[in-house]
């Protein structure tokens, strides 16, 4: 084992301990908040704002955040981010505003401590293999968001990009925008795939530039024109990304 890999594993192990211990403490508190889902969501937002920066630091990423003020200015909103790395989850829980609800694949609930807390928190889980279930989950999310005036954080590509390039966007976030009327706020992360690549346990030090783009109004969006809206958001990401992360020409 190389020295670099050994140090990465030490950092990963320390991160797992921190994530797990704080998750247990937060789960104990969350049990007392079981009747109040919105409070459990907000409790876990504070967990994320504690754990997120620690893991980002342990992963040797140096965040450079641009236009952070746009997150608060647009609340409540649907925050959408490109997805290239395991690190993205920790960037999301760090930046997601208090009162922001996550939408993740159901498999996350199987991750010890972190996933168990996610399940208990009241954040949304969807079954990507069951389209009917996924649509029902989004409908429930829309009702929850409107009832409690929550924001939503979602990765519209639906999976991590293997090479860091932007993938086509799934329609779920657009359906959610149409159902709620909330603005879309694209959050673009650069070079996360170089830091913590998919299926690896080794960290590479990178400057992690994060751009919060201007909000995109959705009050005029309609189901009939959903492809146009997907293209508008995809283009906003593509224009902001570095050349090596832009989507390849079709």
């Amino acid at each position: 084992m190389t020295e670099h890999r050994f140090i990465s594993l030490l950092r990963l192990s320390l991160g797992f301990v921190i994530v797990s211990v704080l998750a247990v403490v937060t789960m104990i508190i969350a049990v007392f908040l079981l009747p109040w889902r919105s409070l459990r969501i907000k409790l876990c937002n504070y967990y994320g704002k504690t754990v997120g920066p620690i893991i980002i630091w342990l992963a040797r990423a140096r965040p450079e955040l641009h236009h952070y003020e746009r997150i608060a200015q647009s609340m409540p909103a649907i925050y959408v981010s490109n997805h290239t790395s395991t690190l993205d989850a920790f960037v999301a829980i760090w930046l997601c505003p208090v009162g922001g609800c996550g939408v993740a694949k159901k498999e996350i609930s199987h991750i010890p401590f972190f996933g168990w807390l996610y399940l208990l928190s009241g954040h949304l889980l969807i079954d990507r293999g069951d389209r009917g279930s996924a649509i029902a989950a989004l409908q429930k999310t829309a009702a929850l968001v409107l009832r409690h005036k929550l924001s939503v954080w979602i990765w519209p590509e639906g999976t991590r990009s293997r090479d860091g390039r932007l993938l086509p966007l799934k329609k779920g976030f657009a359906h959610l925008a149409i159902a709620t009327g909330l603005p879309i706020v694209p959050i673009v992360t650069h070079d996360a795939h170089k830091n913590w690549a998919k299926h690896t346990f080794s960290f590479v030090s990178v400057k992690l530039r994060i751009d919060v783009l201007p909000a995109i109004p959705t009050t005029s969006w309609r189901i009939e024109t959903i492809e146009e809206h997907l293209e508008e958001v995809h283009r906003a990401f593509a224009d902001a990304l570095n050349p090596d992360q832009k989507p390849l020409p079709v």
Side-chain angles (χ1 to χ4, degrees), residues 93-170:
I93 62 176
W94 167 43
L95 294 182
C96 187
V98 174
C101 182
V103 180
K105 59 184 181 180
K106 68 174 185 177
E107 288 81 4
I108 197 174
S109 64
H110 301 154
I111 299 174
F113 302 106
F114 183 87
W116 300 341
L117 174 60
Y118 190 97
L119 179 63
L120 180 60
S121 71
H123 290 267
L124 268 294
L125 295 167
I126 58 172
D127 183 354
R128 293 188 304 179
D130 184 343
R131 186 172 183 274
S133 173
I135 291 174
L138 286 172
Q139 290 172 340
K140 287 174 58 179
T141 301
L144 178 72
V145 164
L146 292 173
R147 185 165 64 250
H148 297 290
K149 297 181 179 180
L150 299 173
S151 295
V152 178
W153 188 291
I154 192 169
W155 289 286
E157 294 162 284
T159 188
R160 280 177 288 181
S161 168
R162 291 184 178 275
D163 59 5
R165 291 191 182 275
L166 184 67
L167 300 173
L169 307 185
K170 306 292 185 182

Side-chain angles (χ1 to χ4, degrees), residues 7 10 18 30 50 59-60 62 68 87 92-93 112 128 133 170 183 236:
I7 293 173
L10 282 180
I18 293 171
T50 303
R60 303 176 65 212
R62 305 181 307 279
Y68 175 70
L87 190 68
I93 62 176
R128 293 188 304 179
S133 173
K170 306 292 185 182

